[in-house]
Amino acid sequence: MIRVGTRGSKLALAQSGMIADEIARLTGERVELVEIKTTGDGTTVPVAQLGVGVFVNQLRDALEREEIDIAVHSYKDLPTAQPEHLVVSVPPRADPRDVLIASDGRTLSDLGPGARIGTGSPRRIAQLNALGRGFECVPIRGNIDTRIGRVGDDLDGVILAAAGIKRIGRQAEITEYLDPLVMLPAPAQGALAVECRKADMTSARISSKLNDRYAQAAVAAERALLQRLEAGCSAPVAALADVAEGASPGEVDLYLRGAVGAEDGSVIERLSTTAALPDTGDAGADELAARAAAVGRALAEDLLEAGAEQLLKLDPSSRRLLMERT
């Protein structure tokens, strides 16, 4: 039997169940979901105040105590520093975009000044304010059902991650998929992380079968950018990488966009870059990810030089750490 650790939320159970089903299909083994409560569960305290790893640490503790064989995380919940004794695989990525769910089927362009939009994400708040539409951003926490339930009550709309909405089957309520040109997503949004002990060769082999090297490379680029900017940084940060088969044999094309902004929307620094990277197939997935990460760090340096460094030096009382959850 293979024990898969998961948080107990509706979304976590849905996405962990998908992974468990795939493991069972690949191995023919019986798979059991083991629910583990994390520090971030059951609290209304803003995630930015709870700190990094609050949805991850207890799952990792269970891995280290060998109470579970594999842990499933939303990748954007993971701290950027990866423990050497744990290894992560990245299944094919879901839609990374943000979406709007608004009353009466409205889109952002239908909402006027004063419209109340629920989100506690500094990244989303900065980009909404940068539109100059006079929206009121209302801090909101809770599970997806709770957030959507406030639409048409005290909120005109909420912004959430498309992947989470689809994984719990509520995509019919989406009123607009937000173009990344308007709302660049969080690094690793839509990606799952399947984590196991490196020393557990059986679980490591199983998780490696789930890995998609293009998704792994995209997430590596985005998180490398975030890691470089998090050195003393608590400004809103966004990143999205597209990785696809290149025009030349043995190459993949990487297109990476990154942004850092002031939460009031007064300044948004946006840059992008492209790179052609060598691709040696699944056997070279880690090398491809390492090269993609180098591109992410380079774009972060460009953002700093373009003015993002000034945003990172804002007084701490006016900054918050970007760690939103859906």
Side-chain angles (χ1 to χ4, degrees):
M1 183 179 66
I2 300 167
R3 301 161 300 171
V4 175
T6 177
R7 293 171 56 207
S9 70
K10 183 177 181 179
L11 173 58
L13 289 170
Q15 58 197 27
S16 297
M18 292 166 44
I19 297 300
D21 290 345
E22 183 64 10
I23 291 173
R25 186 189 71 81
L26 289 170
T27 66
E29 298 279 344
R30 186 163 71 91
V31 182
E32 177 189 10
L33 286 181
V34 179
E35 292 185 30
I36 295 172
K37 187 173 182 179
T38 69
T39 305
D41 296 318
T43 177
T44 59
V45 176
V47 175
Q49 296 179 18
L50 292 174
V52 178
V54 294
F55 296 101
V56 173
N57 293 337
Q58 282 71 31
L59 282 163
R60 284 180 163 174
D61 289 345
L63 265 180
E64 292 172 351
R65 291 193 300 266
E66 300 187 14
E67 297 171 357
I68 59 176
D69 305 300
I70 288 171
V72 179
H73 314 281
S74 291
Y75 210 142
K76 65 181 181 179
D77 287 347
L78 292 182
T80 52
Q82 177 65 24
E84 291 187 2
H85 63 288
L86 299 177
V87 62
V88 169
S89 295
V90 188
R93 188 180 194 173
D95 191 335
R97 292 175 294 177
D98 282 314
V99 296
L100 173 71
I101 295 179
S103 57
D104 303 320
R106 290 178 291 177
T107 65
L108 273 183
S109 61
D110 297 325
L111 297 175
R116 291 169 54 84
I117 299 178
T119 178
S121 159
R123 170 188 62 84
R124 291 172 176 148
I125 292 170
Q127 293 182 88
L128 282 172
N129 286 335
L131 296 175
R133 298 284 305 282
F135 298 140
E136 180 184 352
C137 296
V138 180
I140 185 171
R141 271 211 69 195
N143 60 39
I144 294 176
D145 293 332
T146 299
R147 298 185 196 196
I148 294 176
R150 292 178 60 177
V151 175
D153 184 7
D154 65 326
L155 297 175
D156 295 291
V158 293
I159 295 181
L160 300 165
I165 300 297
K166 291 179 178 180
R167 284 170 181 152
I168 66 167
R170 298 194 68 168
Q171 60 267 31
E173 297 170 75
I174 295 171
T175 57
E176 183 179 11
Y177 287 84
L178 300 178
D179 191 307
L181 291 173
V182 173
M183 182 68 63
L184 196 64
Q189 185 160 297
L192 297 179
V194 179
E195 191 169 45
C196 64
R197 298 180 299 276
K198 189 178 293 187
D200 182 351
M201 299 304 296
T202 299
S203 296
R205 281 194 297 270
I206 292 170
S207 66
S208 69
K209 292 180 180 179
L210 302 171
N211 194 63
D212 180 289
R213 69 183 187 280
Y214 286 3
Q216 180 187 3
V219 169
E222 296 164 14
R223 283 172 56 84
L225 179 146
L226 177 64
Q227 185 176 40
R228 174 64 186 92
L229 295 179
E230 277 188 337
C233 168
S234 55
V237 177
L240 179 62
D242 296 304
V243 180
E245 185 176 344
S248 301
E251 285 188 346
V252 297
D253 291 333
L254 169 66
Y255 172 44
L256 175 62
R257 288 172 279 183
V260 179
E263 195 168 318
D264 64 3
S266 59
V267 181
I268 300 284
E269 297 291 352
R270 304 176 187 266
L271 288 176
S272 64
T273 188
T274 59
L277 305 177
D279 181 20
T280 57
D282 290 339
D286 289 344
E287 177 61 25
L288 178 61
R291 291 177 182 271
V295 176
R297 287 189 292 272
L299 186 60
E301 295 293 345
D302 291 342
L303 280 165
L304 292 170
E305 292 180 7
E309 185 172 8
Q310 299 307 311
L311 295 174
L312 308 186
K313 292 179 178 178
L314 293 175
D315 183 83
S317 64
S318 65
R319 296 184 282 144
R320 290 189 294 170
L321 177 65
L322 172 69
M323 287 297 291
E324 81 277 21
R325 301 291 178 269
T326 297

